[in-house]
Amino acid sequence: MSLQLGLVGLPNVGKSTLFNALTDSHVLAANYPFATIEPNTGIVPVPDERLGKLAELYHTQKVVPATVTFVDIAGLVAGASKGEGLGNQFLAHIRSCQAIVQVVRAFADANVQHVETKLSPQHDIEIINTELVLADLQTVQKRLPQLQKEAKANPKLKPTVETLERVQTLLDAGTPLFATGAGVKQALDDVKDLQLLTAKPIIYVFNVDEATLIDQSRQAELKGLVAPAQALFVCAKLESELQGLDAGDQQELLTSYSVAQSGLVQLIHAAYQTLGLQSYLTAGEKEVRAWTIPMGSTAPQAAGVIHGDFERGFIAAEVVDYNDLLVAGSLSAARAAGRVRTEGKTYSMQPDDVVEFRFNVS
Ligand SMILES: Nc1nc2c(ncn2[C@@H]2O[C@H](COP(=O)(O)OP(=O)(O)OP(=O)(O)O)[C@@H](O)[C@H]2O)c(=O)[nH]1
Ligand SMILES: [Mg+2]
């Protein structure tokens, strides 16, 4: 499964600039609102240095990283849910994403037009979240009366009706569902088919200027606007300058701005964390590969990501920790050192597991 993340925000805040930097693409990024109309989609490999090391160890050429798909979506404006700007038809593009990456302008540049005329990250976030809430409210208001009617004939639907009524109350009060507690989030499972936009996890990316990249107190202030959601600080302009540089030069440029990791790496980490995902590895002479699974997956569930038959016919998993394997230098040496374990059906996968599944398909 490729994780799909949607870049959402006001027009002209740097979504396409960031998209280009993240995906090494060249879509139109321009100094006027609504430069993007149709969504741009880009698939990027998840940077993972373990893969290269394993490929050396196994003398294999084929490395298959996990991937993340970024979708650069048209800018949203106040009133979009009522047809302002480009209207709400492209909200469907957000629906197909697993998480929302809200890009918020926090850079000052008199040359770049701001649709809300003045720079106010807080105000901008409120506009976007209000539009998402209004879109959800429309969805709920359409569905709820039908469901209430159906529940009269089918009492089994009552809990779903109750959840939806609760959701409506929250949305009516202007609360995006991602800002609610764990209890509500769990109940949302009942109404998954509605694909509510604010039920998706959210990550805020503040598009800051170079000065803010090292300004901890400004960052804390911005973080405070969205806590407890994850907040990242990237300078889309700087990120775009990384394009075309080799890894060494990229690191040098980032270090000169006191940035430890590229926006891509930060964003992917944040997305994995927010969505509760982890990876595990498979390695052999034919290929070295990273797979994405929900945290807490059991060995058979992890096997199922490779192929349904692997899960159905699961017998055991041969597991070695990546670091142990590297120290040992080969799988047989790791085995001789007692580092390869055989795990059964209830084994809970760990992030550095290098695995070979044994299965039986009849
Ligand atoms: N100074 C500065 N300018 C930026 C930065 N990021 C983007 N810009 C500029 O802002 C303008 C808009 O950028 P886009 O990436 O097209 O913005 P967008 O959010 O995709 O806009 P729409 O597609 O119209 O919704 C361009 O002129 C960019 O060069 C940044 O970090 N710093
Ligand atoms: Mg754009």
Side-chain angles (χ1 to χ4, degrees), residues 12 14-17 27-30 34-37 40 72-75:
N12 225 30
K15 297 181 299 299
S16 296
T17 306
V27 305
L28 175 68
F34 305 118
T36 306
I37 297 174
N40 303 299
D72 171 32
I73 298 170

Side-chain angles (χ1 to χ4, degrees), residues 285-301:
E285 276 144 33
K286 278 201 201 131
E287 78 172 24
V288 164
R289 185 160 179 166
W291 304 86
T292 303
I293 50 173
M295 272 176 202
S297 293
T298 60
Q301 286 166 340

